[in-house]
Amino acid sequence: MTTYTAFLDEIDATSIARVGGKGANLGELLKAALPVPKAFCVTTDAYRDFIAAHDLQNRILAALNNLNYDDVVELERRASYIRKLIETADMPADIAVAIHEAYGRLEV
């Protein structure tokens, strides 16, 4: 089952691969009863399915091929290209619905 969102109370240190380090840390802070904002994370499943829906993986890898990571100008140029690929792609409906529903569940 693919889950595109995860609320902080569902996340802990073991969730890094699913929600990233920041999300996992926020989940841990919540479990430690420290003040954190009411929030949810968009998961790596959402990212992977977004990339797959637009067949972007090969284009992103091609943009990074033979990149000299010490050349900050070229690095920025290629990052800008990849960012544009992602920003101009339509959000798949199932991911959009999941994010919208999770946002609706926030009690702010």
Side-chain angles (χ1 to χ4, degrees):
M1 178 178 145
T2 301
T3 306
Y4 294 134
T5 61
F7 285 86
L8 296 184
D9 62 353
E10 304 169 332
I11 298 169
D12 60 25
T14 66
S15 305
I16 289 175
R18 184 171 165 231
V19 298
K22 241 181 244 182
N25 285 335
L26 286 170
E28 285 294 318
L29 290 172
L30 182 65
K31 285 178 181 22
L34 293 167
V36 296
K38 294 179 191 251
F40 65 91
C41 297
V42 177
T43 66
T44 54
D45 286 336
Y47 170 79
R48 282 187 203 98
D49 287 358
F50 174 87
I51 295 298
H54 299 290
D55 198 26
L56 295 179
Q57 186 70 23
N58 288 335
R59 292 168 72 185
I60 291 169
L61 292 175
L64 297 173
N65 192 37
N66 296 318
L67 175 62
N68 175 358
Y69 292 94
D70 295 324
D71 182 346
V72 294
V73 173
E74 182 63 13
L75 183 62
E76 177 54 36
R77 186 184 71 74
R78 294 192 199 194
S80 179
Y81 169 76
I82 293 168
R83 187 178 312 111
K84 187 171 183 91
L85 286 176
I86 292 169
E87 289 176 348
T88 58
D90 293 327
M91 181 66 66
D94 53 342
I95 298 173
V97 166
I99 293 169
H100 181 69
E101 287 176 355
Y103 183 77
R105 289 180 42 204
L106 287 178
E107 298 172 12
V108 287

